[in-house]
Amino acid sequence: MEKRGNCPGFLSITTGLYFPIVLIIVVIGLYARFPDLAWGIELSKAGEAGVSAELAVMRSKSLDSLGYNVYYRIVEGRDIRGSVNISFVFKGLHSESASLPLILDFAGKEISGVELNGSQCSYALRDDHIFINSEHLAEGRNELLINFIPDERPFHREKDFLYTLFVPDKARMALPCFDQPDLKANFKLTLDIPSDWVAVSNSKVVVDSIRGGLRRVEFARTSPLSTYLFSFVAGRFLRATHTSGKYPMAMYYLASDSARARRNSEEIFRLHETALEWLENYTGIKYPFDKFEFVLIPSFPYSGMEHPGAILYRSSRLLLTGSPTEMELLRRAGVISHETAHMWFGDLVSIKWFNDVWLKEAFAQFMADRIVEPLFGSIDHRLLFFTSHADRLYEVERTPATHPIRQTLDNLSHAGSLYGNIIYHKPPLVLNQLEKIMGKDSLRVALQDYLESFSYSSADWHDLVKILDRHSKEDIASWSEVWVERAHRPEITTEVKYDAVGRISSFKVKERYPGEESLFWPQKINVSFFGPGGIEDTTIEVYLNSPVVEVGIVRGRKVDYYLLDSTGEGFGFFRLDPSLAENPAKVSFNRAIERAVYSFQVWDYLLETGNINPEAFATYLYRLFGKESNGLIVQANLNRFRRFFWDFLPSHLKLNWGGRFEKLFITKMESELPPSVRRAYFKAFCACVLTSDGVRSLREFWSGEKELEGVEFSERDFCDMALELAVREVDGWQDILERQLSRIKNDKLKSEFSFVMRAASPVPEIREDFFDSLKDPYNRRHEPWVLSALYYLHHPLRNYDSLRFIEESLDMLQEIERTGDIFFPKSWVETTMMYHSSEGAYEVVKRFISEHQDYPQRLMRIVRRAMYYLSRSYFYKIRYTGEESSN
Ligand SMILES: [Zn+2]
């Protein structure tokens, strides 16, 4: 997230023309009128930079009936100028904060005067806030008028258009406001924009006229919205409309997208209509806003953002080209349904505070899955659900640095740190379990009750739990305690007893949480049993509603083997039968979901226990790739293979196994498998090739001497090949890099390649210079480029040398957080550490952790997570070879 690094607050405005005036106001403001600004403990929290939780609570109690009349003047080549009239009912401050000033949020560039109820009023500007003496406020309705210059970052201004994106905490950069999701307000927007632009916002246009060479667009007053949902787009957009359905719709797009927009528009409108209809039916509530429009923007950073009445999408997610695959079509329907579902879950009923950001995301996705499923009958949705979430969820959940779904958020400025794998990948599983436990109908009735009760308002998770509890036979409050408020996962094992002739006499499933024996996660899982010869099989649903559950139905049966959580809907470390550790390839499964679950459990078991030796695991994967044809399962296992091959497989086994896998991957690349699966094998081959024959093949693919029939390599694929060849220091590597650079047609990719190739260079000094250049935030501004470069800098074939960069990279983490996007700190550490498994790396990270005991927890978690994988691979190799620091 772009933080306040260069937002002018108190200090920077004092350097401007208004220095003497402002200084006087500030001095008087802070020390004469608000002596408690300097000393008051409560105010020091409420008034700290950003929006503290204390400030948010205080304001929700004292303010009501908010409205903003917002005006922006947008002229090419000039700063955006704005004014805002904020109307609110002041209910008085609650007793313990009676002497506090009214605190607005503003992290823009400048304000030029504040009027309160028609008269100029003194104010202080400090730490992203405007402080106004509350003694001047009238009991009841008040009006503030403020002229200002915003910070332009949340306006995403380009030559022909701009769009605003305030989520989660950037509204205060764009205008003075009370920037917290539960202080919903009606917005009335007026824009002056270039005369050949159009504008779209949350509500309908009521006036559109040309005056003084500019276009004036006035929008109707909106329904109550959270500040992060207020948005507009303006620019040279074209418009397609759809009027035959229940709601008229409009889609805005740029001229560069027009051919693709024409081809796709009908289907895009249809998908939105299907989603709207489904949601109205499910919720029993009509579409809650006054119009339905959406805007397609090529550079939009997310797939979509649910601004009511004006959803923004990244155009490539909706405008498909060529003959899209079933998965691409499904993803498009998914994102449309997700954003449409937010109109109810997130927009009509909003969260109170961003610690519940997971809640709106989880329900939007839950609804989207159910909308999309019947539209794509040929896709195995259960398998897709499992492969979409399991690896990503447990990547974090199995480490000691995991966290509960619901986290505390002390200041809105840190909202970015809440996002991550747990927020995205655990709630889908949790809601799935909630539906199993409550039943589909009860859950639906409860959600209808929740949406009705909090329409156009906001609610937190506990408000919803109370409603769920009312509609359920189960104790949802206790259920929520473990599922939502707790971190970590239980271990789930079996205890099986046999009679004299080998029939089951008792089959128990046990949930265990180390240290708290009575704790368990109530859940419904499936267990599959495979009879003699693997022919007969039965799947039984087991409700784990206590720490030990007996599965009576299999008593007296002969069973060869069984699979816990065979449909992948449970939560925990499902411990593999230890007898399979020696040879995981001993058992096989017909159903794709079972193969996916089993291969995940094998990998999970290796990571958690280290009890599968490297040769046994390599053999297992080798056989799996030999016969598996399902693309989702192949892809998941290729990802595990890369990690295993570089980090876990001891070096004395690498060349031999490397050669065998290379040959297998080449066979698969040239097989009859679908092109997407063959491509996946090619990518794995590229990343892991080791033998001289393999490297020669890679070079032939790069030069075009070899091709894969039916698989077209993109410019980016050729870039990756050239970089992998350079890392392997093949003869003529310099020539390969230069030729690759000169043959790239796409300008952006060309710039990216010339940036990344320095990190892949075989010359250590060039790599050193490159790393030094990253210390300047300006050189980190293209974050995906940096991550791609870090991969090559720390390439597994290089990590003996790149060890020297680890310490400094960790030292930079706080600054990375300050200057980078919300996901950047995590990706920075992960990409740096991904392929380090040596003693040297282990010692550096261990020292960093012990020397930074007071480090912010959100960042330390990232480091500890990296440490988990580093220590697992380091000790695994010692265990199986005594090898300590060979790479
Ligand atoms: Zn969402």
Side-chain angles (χ1 to χ4, degrees), residues 465-508:
V465 166
K466 276 185 214 137
I467 293 178
L468 293 170
D469 243 342
R470 270 212 302 276
H471 293 275
S472 173
K473 290 194 276 294
E474 305 280 336
D475 177 359
I476 302 296
S478 314
W479 174 90
S480 160
E481 264 303 303
V482 276
W483 280 96
V484 177
E485 315 271 357
R486 277 233 173 213
H488 302 291
R489 58 177 180 169
E491 183 178 310
I492 298 173
T493 54
T494 53
E495 187 190 284
V496 190
K497 291 192 177 129
Y498 298 92
D499 64 14
V501 290
R503 288 177 310 199
I504 289 177
S505 59
S506 157
F507 190 99
K508 287 178 182 160

Side-chain angles (χ1 to χ4, degrees), residues 519-579:
L519 192 69
F520 69 99
W521 277 248
Q523 55 183 314
K524 289 187 176 174
I525 62 164
N526 286 305
V527 184
S528 291
F529 295 88
F530 301 87
I535 303 159
E536 192 192 332
D537 67 290
T538 318
T539 298
I540 292 163
E541 186 179 81
V542 181
Y543 187 10
L544 303 181
N545 55 358
S546 72
V548 182
V549 173
E550 167 102 42
V551 185
I553 201 162
V554 290
R555 207 174 295 136
R557 290 184 56 170
K558 279 203 165 175
V559 164
D560 281 347
Y561 54 94
Y562 54 85
L563 181 63
L564 285 177
D565 190 34
S566 56
T567 48
E569 294 164 283
F571 173 69
F573 168 42
F574 292 90
R575 207 179 167 94
L576 199 67
D577 185 337
S579 72

